Amino acid sequence: MIGYEIESIDANESMIVIKTLPGRAQGVAEIIDSAHHPAVLGTLAGDNTIFVTPSSVAMIPEIQKLLKDLMTQKKREVA
């Protein structure tokens, strides 16, 4: 249900910030980490915010695509 838990995905020149529903950031971060994508160096999760650190800033667009794909994939699995 990751697609329903994420409210927004934004990025700057060095990091991706994901806003989730309250209390869901750690679960979403675990899903991202468990994907073991080489472009993701790591995540840091609070209550409703996740910082995603890319392995390289050039990988930010690829990570954003990965996250959006995860969101839509999980929504299709539920439907």
Side-chain angles (χ1 to χ4, degrees):
M1 307 237 350
I2 186 175
Y4 296 105
E5 296 173 345
I6 294 175
E7 294 182 332
S8 66
I9 301 171
D10 295 302
N12 65 12
E13 297 81 24
S14 61
M15 184 181 302
I16 299 167
V17 177
I18 302 170
K19 291 297 213 169
T20 69
L21 295 174
R24 293 305 309 141
Q26 292 180 9
V28 172
E30 178 60 30
I31 292 169
I32 295 167
D33 289 337
S34 68
H36 301 291
H37 195 282
V40 177
L41 189 60
T43 62
L44 178 65
D47 182 65
N48 69 333
T49 305
I50 304 167
F51 293 144
V52 181
T53 304
S55 59
S56 165
V57 294
M59 301 304 281
I60 289 176
E62 182 176 335
I63 295 170
Q64 287 179 298
K65 182 182 179 326
L66 167 75
L67 295 169
K68 289 178 183 175
D69 288 348
L70 277 174
M71 287 174 62
T72 56
Q73 175 186 2
K74 297 296 182 182
K75 280 185 180 179
R76 276 184 264 137
E77 289 175 5
V78 171

